[in-house]
Amino acid sequence: TEEIKQLREETGLSIMQCQKALEQAGTLNLTGSDLMAKAIELLKEKGAEIAKKKGDRHSNFPLHAIDVLLASH
């Protein structure tokens, strides 16, 4: 739909992500600019959740290996 296209142009996200956000916002009986604003808000929240999950990951590279690499230079 036009809403998906517009949301995709504004956010640069995939069609599926935009469609899901619009569907979620639509369950709140929003229309027009309210619908778009809520969809963008939902996408931002989802993006923040993903970023937090990625930030919580730990590297498999041992810290002592970094110390050795730094000391050798």
Side-chain angles (χ1 to χ4, degrees), residues 14-47:
S14 73
I15 292 172
M16 289 304 294
Q17 289 172 310
C18 293
Q19 182 178 359
K20 286 179 184 179
L22 286 167
E23 287 172 358
Q24 272 187 293
T27 63
L28 302 173
N29 296 322
L30 301 172
T31 58
S33 62
D34 292 336
L35 177 71
M36 294 299 285
K38 184 62 177 178
I40 290 171
E41 180 183 324
L42 291 169
L43 289 168
K44 286 180 181 179
E45 289 172 5
K46 182 72 172 172

Side-chain angles (χ1 to χ4, degrees), residues 3 8-9 11 23 25 30 38 40 44-45 47 51 57-58 62 66 70:
E3 292 168 332
R8 188 160 190 257
E9 288 173 0
T11 63
E23 287 172 358
L30 301 172
K38 184 62 177 178
I40 290 171
K44 286 180 181 179
E45 289 172 5
R57 292 182 188 168
H58 297 287
I66 293 172
L70 292 175

